[in-house]
Amino acid sequence: MTAVQRLQSELGSIVSVDPAELAATRTDKSGWEAPGMPLALVRATSVSEVQATLRIATEFRIPVVTRGAGTGLAGGACGADRSIVLSVERMNRILEIRPEDELAVVEPGVINQHLNDALAEHGLWFAPDPASKDISTVGGNIATNAGGLLCAKYGVTREAVLALTVVLADGRLLKTGRRTVKGVTGYDLTALLTGSEGTLGVIVEATVRARAVTAGESVTIGAVFPDSGLAAAASALVTASRLRPAVMELIDPVALSMIAAYLGPDRTAGLPIDRGAFLLVQTGGPGALAEAEQAAAVLRAAGGEVRLATNGTGTATAGLVTADRLLAVRRAAHPALAAHGEVLIEDVCVPRSRMAEMFERIREISARTGVPIPTVAHAGDGNLHPNFVIPADPGRPAGDPVVPEAIWAAAGDLFRAALELGGTLTGEHGVGVLKRRWLAEELGDTSFDLQWQIKTVFDPLGILNPGTMFTPVS
Amino acid sequence: MTAVQRLQSELGSIVSVDPAELAATRTDKSGWEAPGMPLALVRATSVSEVQATLRIATEFRIPVVTRGAGTGLAGGACGADRSIVLSVERMNRILEIRPEDELAVVEPGVINQHLNDALAEHGLWFAPDPASKDISTVGGNIATNAGGLLCAKYGVTREAVLALTVVLADGRLLKTGRRTVKGVTGYDLTALLTGSEGTLGVIVEATVRARAVTAGESVTIGAVFPDSGLAAAASALVTASRLRPAVMELIDPVALSMIAAYLGPDRTAGLPIDRGAFLLVQTGGPGALAEAEQAAAVLRAAGGEVRLATNGTGTATAGLVTADRLLAVRRAAHPALAAHGEVLIEDVCVPRSRMAEMFERIREISARTGVPIPTVAHAGDGNLHPNFVIPADPGRPAGDPVVPEAIWAAAGDLFRAALELGGTLTGEHGVGVLKRRWLAEELGDTSFDLQWQIKTVFDPLGILNPGTMFTPVS
């Protein structure tokens, strides 16, 4: 019997070998496409089906690529050649909500926003908020340690994960963590698995922290600065003033002009986004208005032209500029860029104080390579998304990569600049396939060596998502 | 040359073999005493001295016990027989404070409170707040993933550690983490090392998060309930009302009567602590008074007799009861117990909703064994400290353990009760030597096996704090 026959005989109709379905698993939202073709797609609906899949994979030494909603941006969950793609998308039940303990227990395929909808009935929410939250799964958020807009105030995904149930490469079940706020029994395997990108085990259940919804209004500020460096310096001043807005998003002039063109005059009337760099700030909680007014004063003193708006359609001290219209500018960033071609979204992160320098490095790299690099940033975190827009090329030969090597060379320059400034090559998207070639450079030999040995402890046969995070051994 | 001669020839006067100095390293604040005698005490002042010590230890296969201020409560840093005790207490420099990036870089021997004093000049603070913060080191806080009174609101130590520099067993230097708020390059070795109790490496530098000091007053509530179960239920109701006090401490009737006797009538006048269980609640930040008044209403509705006081010596809605006097009740807990004998402080943690049941189990175990178990709890975290007070016994033969086996049997019953309620045997003190016999019971075989393999990756010769966390292989 072949591996696929064994899967089919043990697992029946949840196993697909339909070529169109297999092909669809080969890509994610990065636009990258795995070469070759997977052997089978298993759509697991239970822990025991995941265990059976892993046992068969171990027996036949077949790679397993675990996949949720396929919204990744680093090629980390794409159906590799001759692999089993293990989809946990149908394991999408919310198993338990414990308002009194402020936690929820979920299967990995639950969509982030669905969990938030369910928690809202109890005055609770799940803080991790990647831009993909309407379409990405909690399991994927955990596997990538996803970030988002609110991390400076509410932390990254790791801080929201209390316990995991994981199927190991050989099919054994591992339970990590606990339901309690505190606990120091043994090593923190929960944190080790969070962000491990499917290379250590398959998350089949997660106990996550739910937060109390903060009472109080939210206040939104839009500010324009002559250039990115001044906007970045202004945002750093907000943090240095010991203010802690929930949101602080920066849009550079290249991206801003594309957004302005995309939104058109009607949707940008009265918004100061026809020039310069844009900074969007949002405060929340009991002291929201006071905090926003302090932040606005800092931004004005730093040379910004500032608009301030209270929640929704109401207005505070400014004219007809509403919070929704300010937020719409940031939301338009990705569609505005995507209207011009395939978008490669990079994801460097630097200490907040070095953000202005990172913008300067991006400008230099863009000037040197002739590649425009429209950039948006989670300024409160120092997390920049420089974007490469690759125009559609109908003459591109089939099988040629979408991202030309010249773009990767420019991206490599970006990563090195981030490292030089004390930063990292990926703030929240993960290493995946697309950044593995730079991993050792950031980690250094000693850390890389230990990480590889830890990988080997969990996955001695090397069947869990090989080629993700670590470069495959040839 | 012996190992000690090699240490002396390479490291000179920082190596002590003075019997009194060696003997002093054999114990910590748990009262436990390691049998036998260490070979040498190395008082490192630099990273290179730590590396040299580890290289020599590796060459001679000598165990190394890393030690900070010796304030541990689980026997995890006690000078074992024929070991090298590596003290990092003199590595006590604050290397860097970056207000704009809200971080500090410190050597491991910096006292927690000293770091806080230095940060206060910048409107910043270091959130981990073990009761020992005036005397314990940041390195020790990290090695044990220390908790404290403020964790429900501000998180545990792990959430405050951004990056570590660690000397590995063979003397190599490992750097983990980064200076940025976000970063997902590779596995989270920073979290793996936090709480690893000296078994994976020696922390020689830490980059820690500093938080902005929250503006606004703080308001303190003292409430008395007929029994611990009602007080625990009331504290759970506060959390379930989506309030998030900074502090919520519960004192059971057994401990409360010892505290009342210890403080005496003058210092307890007007305080309702002559009976029942005491709950201390403190709110802070912009909405502190409103939040305190809501909490007070919840506590009254749950049957509490409530006193409320604003910051320091001022008073709000109640009479002459000040915040300082309410806090003094909690602060007196340990000295009040210690006045009656050696105190073995246990440290179970359960989901908040099971706390009332845990108090009931403690009562049962106390009744069954005839051992009084005065208990205090960080109620916001579900973290209980049941205390065993062992009267001084002048007739105890030298070498006999302070804690009789009957007490350990009662403690074992406590741990199992906590596990049955979905909790853990140690919320914040660590496993150390004193709880290692229960580790496998909590973790289960699969997790224990993986953890042991991870230990082996970092420490293939088994020289790092052997006998701590894991039971020694005999």
CSV table of all heavy atoms in Angstrom, one decimal, chain A residues 14-39:
chain,number,residue,atom,x,y,z
A,14,ILE,N,-12.2,12.3,3.9
A,14,ILE,CA,-11.5,13.6,4.2
A,14,ILE,C,-10.2,13.7,3.5
A,14,ILE,O,-9.5,14.7,3.6
A,14,ILE,CB,-11.3,13.8,5.8
A,14,ILE,CG1,-10.4,12.7,6.3
A,14,ILE,CG2,-12.6,13.8,6.5
A,14,ILE,CD1,-9.8,13.0,7.7
A,15,VAL,N,-9.8,12.6,2.8
A,15,VAL,CA,-8.6,12.7,2.0
A,15,VAL,C,-8.9,13.0,0.5
A,15,VAL,O,-9.8,12.3,-0.1
A,15,VAL,CB,-7.9,11.3,2.1
A,15,VAL,CG1,-6.6,11.3,1.2
A,15,VAL,CG2,-7.6,10.9,3.5
A,16,SER,N,-8.3,14.0,0.0
A,16,SER,CA,-8.5,14.4,-1.4
A,16,SER,C,-7.2,14.3,-2.2
A,16,SER,O,-6.2,14.6,-1.7
A,16,SER,CB,-9.0,15.9,-1.5
A,16,SER,OG,-9.0,16.3,-2.8
A,17,VAL,N,-7.4,13.8,-3.4
A,17,VAL,CA,-6.2,13.8,-4.3
A,17,VAL,C,-6.6,14.5,-5.6
A,17,VAL,O,-5.9,14.4,-6.6
A,17,VAL,CB,-5.7,12.3,-4.6
A,17,VAL,CG1,-5.1,11.7,-3.4
A,17,VAL,CG2,-6.9,11.5,-5.2
A,18,ASP,N,-7.7,15.3,-5.5
A,18,ASP,CA,-8.1,16.0,-6.6
A,18,ASP,C,-7.1,17.1,-7.0
A,18,ASP,O,-6.6,17.9,-6.2
A,18,ASP,CB,-9.4,16.8,-6.2
A,18,ASP,CG,-10.0,17.7,-7.4
A,18,ASP,OD1,-10.7,17.2,-8.2
A,18,ASP,OD2,-9.6,18.9,-7.4
A,19,PRO,N,-6.6,17.0,-8.3
A,19,PRO,CA,-5.5,17.9,-8.7
A,19,PRO,C,-5.8,19.4,-8.4
A,19,PRO,O,-4.9,20.1,-8.0
A,19,PRO,CB,-5.3,17.6,-10.2
A,19,PRO,CG,-5.9,16.3,-10.4
A,19,PRO,CD,-7.0,16.1,-9.4
A,20,ALA,N,-7.0,19.8,-8.7
A,20,ALA,CA,-7.3,21.3,-8.5
A,20,ALA,C,-7.2,21.6,-7.0
A,20,ALA,O,-6.7,22.7,-6.7
A,20,ALA,CB,-8.7,21.6,-9.1
A,21,GLU,N,-7.7,20.7,-6.2
A,21,GLU,CA,-7.7,21.0,-4.7
A,21,GLU,C,-6.3,21.0,-4.2
A,21,GLU,O,-5.9,21.8,-3.4
A,21,GLU,CB,-8.6,20.0,-4.0
A,21,GLU,CG,-10.0,20.2,-4.3
A,21,GLU,CD,-11.0,19.3,-3.4
A,21,GLU,OE1,-10.5,18.3,-2.9
A,21,GLU,OE2,-12.1,19.7,-3.3
A,22,LEU,N,-5.5,20.0,-4.7
A,22,LEU,CA,-4.1,20.0,-4.3
A,22,LEU,C,-3.3,21.2,-4.8
A,22,LEU,O,-2.6,21.9,-4.0
A,22,LEU,CB,-3.4,18.7,-4.9
A,22,LEU,CG,-3.9,17.4,-4.4
A,22,LEU,CD1,-3.1,16.3,-5.0
A,22,LEU,CD2,-3.8,17.3,-2.9
A,23,ALA,N,-3.6,21.6,-6.0
A,23,ALA,CA,-2.9,22.8,-6.5
A,23,ALA,C,-3.2,24.1,-5.7
A,23,ALA,O,-2.4,24.9,-5.5
A,23,ALA,CB,-3.2,23.0,-8.0
A,24,ALA,N,-4.5,24.2,-5.3
A,24,ALA,CA,-4.9,25.3,-4.5
A,24,ALA,C,-4.1,25.5,-3.2
A,24,ALA,O,-4.0,26.6,-2.6
A,24,ALA,CB,-6.4,25.3,-4.3
A,25,THR,N,-3.6,24.4,-2.7
A,25,THR,CA,-2.8,24.5,-1.4
A,25,THR,C,-1.4,25.0,-1.6
A,25,THR,O,-0.7,25.2,-0.6
A,25,THR,CB,-2.8,23.1,-0.7
A,25,THR,OG1,-1.9,22.3,-1.4
A,25,THR,CG2,-4.2,22.5,-0.5
A,26,ARG,N,-1.0,25.2,-2.8
A,26,ARG,CA,0.4,25.4,-3.1
A,26,ARG,C,0.8,26.9,-2.9
A,26,ARG,O,2.0,27.3,-2.9
A,26,ARG,CB,0.8,25.0,-4.5
A,26,ARG,CG,0.8,23.5,-4.7
A,26,ARG,CD,0.9,23.1,-6.1
A,26,ARG,NE,2.0,23.8,-6.8
A,26,ARG,CZ,2.0,24.3,-8.0
A,26,ARG,NH1,0.8,24.3,-8.7
A,26,ARG,NH2,3.0,24.9,-8.5
A,27,THR,N,-0.2,27.7,-2.6
A,27,THR,CA,0.1,29.2,-2.4
A,27,THR,C,-0.5,29.7,-1.2
A,27,THR,O,-1.3,29.1,-0.5
A,27,THR,CB,-0.3,29.9,-3.7
A,27,THR,OG1,0.3,31.3,-3.6
A,27,THR,CG2,-1.8,30.0,-3.8
A,28,ASP,N,-0.1,31.0,-0.8
A,28,ASP,CA,-0.8,31.7,0.3
A,28,ASP,C,-0.9,33.1,-0.1
A,28,ASP,O,-0.8,33.5,-1.3
A,28,ASP,CB,0.0,31.5,1.6
A,28,ASP,CG,1.4,32.1,1.5
A,28,ASP,OD1,1.7,32.8,0.5
A,28,ASP,OD2,2.2,31.9,2.5
A,29,LYS,N,-1.2,34.0,0.8
A,29,LYS,CA,-1.4,35.4,0.4
A,29,LYS,C,-0.1,36.2,0.1
A,29,LYS,O,-0.1,37.4,-0.2
A,29,LYS,CB,-2.1,36.2,1.6
A,29,LYS,CG,-3.5,35.6,1.8
A,29,LYS,CD,-4.5,36.2,0.8
A,29,LYS,CE,-5.9,35.7,1.1
A,29,LYS,NZ,-6.9,35.9,-0.1
A,30,SER,N,1.0,35.5,0.2
A,30,SER,CA,2.3,36.1,-0.3
A,30,SER,C,2.4,36.1,-1.8
A,30,SER,O,3.2,36.8,-2.3
A,30,SER,CB,3.5,35.4,0.3
A,30,SER,OG,3.6,34.1,-0.3
A,31,GLY,N,1.6,35.3,-2.4
A,31,GLY,CA,1.7,35.1,-3.9
A,31,GLY,C,2.7,34.0,-4.2
A,31,GLY,O,2.8,33.6,-5.4
A,32,TRP,N,3.5,33.6,-3.3
A,32,TRP,CA,4.5,32.5,-3.6
A,32,TRP,C,3.8,31.2,-3.9
A,32,TRP,O,2.7,31.0,-3.4
A,32,TRP,CB,5.4,32.4,-2.4
A,32,TRP,CG,6.6,31.4,-2.7
A,32,TRP,CD1,7.7,31.7,-3.4
A,32,TRP,CD2,6.7,30.1,-2.3
A,32,TRP,NE1,8.5,30.6,-3.5
A,32,TRP,CE2,7.9,29.6,-2.8
A,32,TRP,CE3,5.9,29.2,-1.5
A,32,TRP,CZ2,8.4,28.3,-2.6
A,32,TRP,CZ3,6.4,27.9,-1.3
A,32,TRP,CH2,7.6,27.5,-1.8
A,33,GLU,N,4.4,30.4,-4.7
A,33,GLU,CA,3.8,29.1,-5.1
A,33,GLU,C,4.8,28.0,-5.0
A,33,GLU,O,5.9,28.1,-5.5
A,33,GLU,CB,3.3,29.3,-6.5
A,33,GLU,CG,2.3,28.2,-6.9
A,33,GLU,CD,1.7,28.6,-8.3
A,33,GLU,OE1,2.3,28.3,-9.3
A,33,GLU,OE2,0.6,29.2,-8.3
A,34,ALA,N,4.5,27.0,-4.2
A,34,ALA,CA,5.4,25.9,-4.0
A,34,ALA,C,5.6,25.1,-5.3
A,34,ALA,O,4.6,24.9,-6.0
A,34,ALA,CB,4.9,25.0,-2.9
A,35,PRO,N,6.8,24.8,-5.7
A,35,PRO,CA,7.0,24.0,-6.9
A,35,PRO,C,6.4,22.6,-6.7
A,35,PRO,O,6.3,22.1,-5.5
A,35,PRO,CB,8.5,24.0,-7.1
A,35,PRO,CG,9.1,24.3,-5.8
A,35,PRO,CD,8.1,25.1,-5.0
A,36,GLY,N,6.1,21.9,-7.8
A,36,GLY,CA,5.7,20.5,-7.7
A,36,GLY,C,4.3,20.4,-7.2
A,36,GLY,O,3.5,21.3,-7.3
A,37,MET,N,3.9,19.2,-6.6
A,37,MET,CA,2.5,19.0,-6.3
A,37,MET,C,2.4,18.1,-5.1
A,37,MET,O,3.2,17.1,-5.0
A,37,MET,CB,1.8,18.3,-7.5
A,37,MET,CG,0.3,18.2,-7.4
A,37,MET,SD,-0.5,19.8,-7.3
A,37,MET,CE,-0.5,20.2,-9.1
A,38,PRO,N,1.6,18.4,-4.1
A,38,PRO,CA,1.4,17.5,-2.9
A,38,PRO,C,0.8,16.2,-3.3
A,38,PRO,O,0.2,16.1,-4.4
A,38,PRO,CB,0.4,18.3,-2.0
A,38,PRO,CG,0.3,19.7,-2.6
A,38,PRO,CD,0.7,19.6,-4.0
A,39,LEU,N,1.0,15.2,-2.5
A,39,LEU,CA,0.4,13.9,-2.7
A,39,LEU,C,-1.1,13.8,-2.4
A,39,LEU,O,-1.9,13.1,-3.0
A,39,LEU,CB,1.1,12.8,-1.8
A,39,LEU,CG,2.6,12.5,-2.1
A,39,LEU,CD1,3.1,11.6,-1.0
A,39,LEU,CD2,2.8,11.9,-3.5
